Amino acid sequence: MKQYSRRSFGKLTVGVGMSVVVGLTELQLLRPSHAAVAIPAIGGTATWGAAAPKEPIKRLAQKPIGIVVHHTTSPNSNDFTQTKARQVARSIQQSHFNRGWIDTGQHFTISRGGWILEGRHQSLAAVQQGTTHVQGAHVDGHNETHIGIECDGLYMEHAPSLPLWNNLVALLAYLCHQYGLTAQTIVGHRDLDATLCPGDTFYSLLPQLRAAVETHLAGGNVGRMWPTLKRNTPATSLAKTAQYLLRTHGASITADGAFGPATEAAVKAFQTAKGLTVNGIIGAATWESLIRTVRLGDSGDAVRAVQTRLAAQGYTTTSDGQFTATLNALVKTFQTNRQLSVDGVVGINSWNHLAM
Ligand SMILES: [Zn+2]
């Protein structure tokens, strides 16, 4: 949706869901502005046992003008349960009380498992209303104008987990819908303040996040999220995984995690062979062609690729390229944690969760 200046409302050439300012009265035209945006499940403060705020919450009679994405910098937990999400919400509130704040600073929290919880009291009611904003405490100088979302985890090197990402897209689309915001109003904390938040990797994914929210708002199919890898991204275990996979497709490259000219050339050769867009960038389509289904008894670089990702996700394993019974059990643990079918076979769903 485009940003309209007040002037463009002159002849009422407004889009569905736009607001018209007549004198000092704002008339809300037909909502919803974005045809059918699903309302994500959001647990209110009562669901996680929030303590009462120390002082009355300030509810401002204005809409927010943007949304800020944060990371909590807590260790990336493999506990994806709702119980864990509620525990995280309580511990954040306590730590914010300890800072002398009246309540949780951010409006919403998303756990590693993708559970969305209300942070500061009344945030959910304000969003449902669509015309008011709860003053938060999450970004200096912008608390009266911006919604804050804390994503549990540390995303300097790693991308957010797949459930976190998917539900963040749903939450952002809902917030944009309720307040008539465009996806372009979604920023990272570092855009507004001197901080590393929400982490280098997460920050690099914000263009993809905005694009996914736009697609969601337009009623399109967002598709599977895969992280983008391209030349000169810092050496990472994810690039190493991609190199192992490229090797299984015949590339003669070293799996060292550094995405240099040789890896780029290998990606282009692979894309040419598969009839994909040849750009040397590993995005969703290339990932989905690159991955190999691996199972008990398999060996080689495809197994090393799986082991590399499991290790990056905090699971203890070697990179010996042997899909042993031990590895099989580990894959099942991973699948259980991610609420996937627990069959010990690494297919596209497990790969998708391993990549993020
Ligand atoms: Zn932050």
Side-chain angles (χ1 to χ4, degrees):
M1 200 166 63
K2 275 181 275 180
Q3 294 269 23
Y4 292 86
S5 68
R6 271 194 191 187
R7 229 166 313 159
S8 53
F9 294 124
K11 289 180 179 175
L12 280 183
T13 52
V14 295
V16 177
M18 305 309 305
S19 302
V20 181
V21 178
V22 181
L24 292 174
T25 312
E26 188 181 61
L27 302 178
Q28 192 69 31
L29 294 189
L30 303 168
R31 283 172 62 214
S33 53
H34 314 96
V37 172
I39 302 173
I42 303 172
T45 45
T47 66
W48 52 269
K54 304 289 186 193
E55 285 173 29
I57 297 295
K58 227 185 220 177
R59 187 99 162 249
L60 308 170
Q62 63 193 35
K63 297 180 184 186
I65 61 171
I67 308 169
V68 184
V69 174
H70 301 267
H71 68 167
T72 62
T73 73
S74 308
N76 291 338
S77 170
N78 279 312
D79 185 344
F80 278 36
T81 61
Q82 187 177 41
T83 303
K84 173 69 176 179
R86 291 172 172 175
Q87 182 197 320
V88 166
R90 286 191 296 271
S91 88
I92 290 175
Q93 188 189 35
Q94 190 53 56
S95 75
H96 288 180
F97 281 153
N98 295 346
R99 292 186 194 185
W101 298 355
I102 64 166
D103 195 2
T104 297
Q106 75 275 11
H107 300 87
F108 298 97
T109 311
I110 305 192
S111 75
R112 296 266 304 154
W115 300 94
I116 307 171
L117 298 179
E118 182 181 32
R120 180 157 292 206
H121 285 80
Q122 296 185 37
S123 296
L124 185 51
V127 171
Q128 285 165 344
Q129 189 177 39
T131 52
T132 60
H133 172 63
V134 166
Q135 183 180 316
H138 62 99
V139 50
D140 277 347
H142 303 274
N143 285 312
E144 301 196 338
T145 51
H146 285 69
I147 298 179
I149 302 174
E150 281 286 354
C151 300
D152 190 36
L154 174 64
Y155 301 111
M156 287 301 287
E157 184 190 344
H158 299 292
S161 65
L162 194 59
L164 192 161
W165 176 274
N166 288 339
N167 289 343
L168 176 61
V169 170
L171 174 62
L172 287 168
Y174 175 58
L175 295 174
C176 286
H177 167 80
Q178 287 300 97
Y179 288 120
L181 297 170
T182 73
Q184 299 311 311
T185 65
I186 299 164
V187 297
H189 189 179
R190 68 173 64 177
D191 288 320
L192 302 176
D193 212 346
T195 171
L196 292 174
C197 181
D200 288 350
T201 297
F202 207 154
Y203 188 73
S204 75
L205 294 172
L206 290 188
Q208 275 169 274
L209 185 65
R210 294 185 193 103
V213 171
E214 258 164 29
T215 302
H216 196 97
L217 284 169
N221 180 7
V222 175
R224 287 175 186 274
M225 168 63 187
W226 293 88
T228 302
L229 281 178
K230 58 188 175 190
R231 189 168 164 180
N232 293 333
T233 46
T236 59
S237 64
L238 188 63
K240 193 173 185 175
T241 301
Q243 288 167 329
Y244 278 130
L245 290 169
L246 284 163
R247 285 166 57 98
T248 71
H249 291 276
S252 300
I253 52 171
T254 309
D256 57 5
F259 200 125
T263 301
E264 186 182 52
V267 173
K268 285 181 177 174
F270 174 75
Q271 290 171 327
T272 302
K274 294 289 178 181
L276 300 165
T277 304
V278 183
N279 57 11
I281 298 169
I282 303 177
T286 302
W287 272 116
E288 291 182 12
S289 292
L290 265 181
I291 55 169
R292 298 278 196 186
T293 297
V294 287
R295 51 169 62 80
L296 185 63
D298 286 344
S299 62
D301 283 336
V303 178
R304 286 189 188 93
V306 170
Q307 291 173 318
T308 302
R309 283 315 295 160
L310 281 169
Q313 301 265 8
Y315 293 86
T316 304
T317 178
T318 60
S319 292
D320 63 1
Q322 301 300 317
F323 206 120
T324 60
T326 307
L327 183 57
N328 197 233
L330 196 60
V331 168
K332 285 182 178 175
T333 301
F334 176 78
Q335 291 173 329
T336 302
N337 290 345
R338 301 301 176 104
Q339 293 163 336
L340 297 165
S341 306
V342 184
D343 57 7
V345 177
V346 184
I348 188 166
N349 288 327
S350 294
W351 261 117
N352 200 192
H353 280 259
L354 281 170
M356 286 291 286

